[in-house]
Amino acid sequence: MTAAAPRARPAPHRALPAPPARPAPAVPDVAALVAQVRSGAYGADPAHARVSVAFTTAQAVRHPDRSGGYRNEVLSLRLGAAVGSCAVEPRTLPSAALDDCVGASVAELLEHPLLPVRIAALDAYLMHVRPHTAEHGARPRALPAGDSLHRSRARARAVADLLPGAGLRRVLVVGVVNSLLEELRARGIGYVPCDLKGGTTEWGEPVRTDARAELGRCDAVLASGMTLGNGSFQPLLDHAARTGTPLVMFAQTGSAVLPRFLGAGVSAVSAEPYPFFWLDGGPGTIHHYGGPR
C-alpha cells in the first residue's frame, strides 16, 4: 500500500483545561454523548485536543485446559496521559487509519468514517476529562497477578459481582467470554451466550448471533464494550431503558464512555482501560460503577 502524503498540521495546541466540577447528564445514545462533548459539557474543547499516538494491540490466546482459542485486535489513541481504545475485528483496520489519527483533533476524529476510530477518540477524550477516580464515581477492584487464565477468572468474578444479587434465572451474555460463562455456571445462573461470530461455547452450547431476539427471555444482560465498536450497543441500551432490565457492561472498549450511560439504561460498568489484563502477569485494577456495593 502506498502511504498517503502527510497532511499539514496546525501549530502546537495549548494544554487541555481541567474538567469542570459539574457532572454531565446521562444520555440516551452515543450521538447525544458526542453532542455533549462538542458543546463543551465536559470542559475541554475537542477541537483543541489532539491525539499524539495511535497504535494497535493484537493478541492470540489459548488458555491451558481450554479447547479453543481466539484473537483480539484493539485500536488505541493517546491523548495526553489518557488512552482510549476500541476493539476491531482482527486484520480489518486499514493501516492508513493510524496515520489519520496521529496529530488529528478529537473533533476531527469524531467525524471519521470508521466507527472504531470515532469510539476510540471519544474514549480517549473522556478518559482525559473523566478518569477512573473516586471523584468521578469509580470504585477500584484489584486484579491479582498470575497467568492469563487466573487473571481472566478473577476479572469474571468481578464482572459477575455487578449483577443483581437475587432473582436471576437467565442472563444474556453479549460477547462470549468463557471465563465469564464459567463464573455464571458456578453461581447457578443460567445464560444465553450471544456473539456475532457464532460457534459454540467451551461446553458445546450454541452461540446465538442475534442479541435482540434473545432479550425478551432474559432477566439481565451482560454485554461487552465491543458492542460500541460494532454498532450493536444501542438496541441493548434502549431495551434496558424501556423495560428496566439490568444492563451490566464489561468494557475494555469504551471504558470511559460507558459510565456516561449510567441512569440511561446501563445499571453497572466494569471498566478496564488500557493496559488490559492479558498484557502482563502483574497485579492490576479495574473500576466499578453502579451495581451492588
Side-chain angles (χ1 to χ4, degrees):
M1 179 180 293
T2 302
R7 67 179 186 270
R9 298 294 185 199
H13 60 284
R14 58 182 178 272
L16 298 178
R22 61 187 176 90
V27 287
D29 52 44
V30 173
L33 179 57
V34 170
Q36 281 188 355
V37 168
R38 290 188 180 283
S39 72
Y42 291 90
D45 186 346
H48 296 149
R50 295 194 173 274
V51 169
S52 56
V53 177
F55 60 98
T56 57
T57 307
Q59 70 150 177
V61 61
R62 184 166 181 171
H63 294 305
D65 302 323
R66 290 276 170 86
S67 62
Y70 56 90
R71 292 182 63 90
N72 283 329
E73 187 173 338
V74 181
L75 168 67
S76 297
L77 306 181
R78 181 143 187 184
L79 178 64
V83 176
S85 298
C86 183
V88 297
E89 284 299 310
R91 304 185 185 94
T92 62
L93 186 72
S95 59
L98 296 182
D99 298 320
D100 291 346
C101 294
V102 174
S105 72
V106 169
E108 291 172 321
L109 295 180
L110 290 175
E111 296 181 348
H112 196 277
L114 295 178
L115 177 58
V117 170
R118 301 197 299 272
I119 294 298
L122 182 62
D123 193 38
Y125 175 88
L126 291 169
M127 276 290 292
H128 180 83
V129 298
R130 292 291 189 275
H132 298 306
T133 62
E135 177 187 3
H136 298 125
R139 306 189 307 275
R141 174 80 177 248
L143 287 184
D147 65 24
S148 59
L149 183 55
H150 179 68
R151 303 194 78 209
S152 177
R153 284 170 166 160
R155 186 187 73 142
R157 289 192 294 272
V159 170
D161 283 346
L162 290 173
L163 287 166
L168 286 183
R169 296 169 301 165
R170 187 182 299 111
V171 175
L172 176 62
V173 181
V174 184
V176 170
V177 177
N178 279 319
S179 290
L180 188 51
L181 302 184
E182 179 184 55
E183 182 63 24
L184 295 177
R185 293 167 71 92
R187 298 184 185 207
I189 299 174
Y191 57 80
V192 176
C194 188
D195 198 292
L196 292 175
K197 296 176 183 177
T200 58
T201 71
E202 184 73 14
W203 300 273
E205 302 148 328
V207 175
R208 312 296 182 180
T209 57
D210 185 354
R212 279 189 274 192
E214 307 296 335
L215 285 168
R217 65 190 190 99
C218 294
D219 308 306
V221 180
L222 273 175
S224 166
M226 290 178 68
T227 55
L228 280 171
N230 64 26
S232 61
F233 170 65
Q234 194 62 45
L236 306 179
L237 185 69
D238 292 343
H239 175 81
R242 183 177 66 254
T243 64
T245 300
L247 172 58
V248 177
M249 304 298 301
F250 53 100
Q252 294 175 345
T253 291
S255 78
V257 174
L258 288 164
R260 311 282 73 82
F261 294 96
L262 288 167
V266 170
S267 55
V269 178
S270 178
E272 185 182 354
Y274 195 93
F276 310 128
F277 80 88
W278 38 266
L279 281 166
D280 70 40
T285 305
I286 57 178
H287 309 275
H288 280 185
Y289 294 81
R293 300 292 178 124

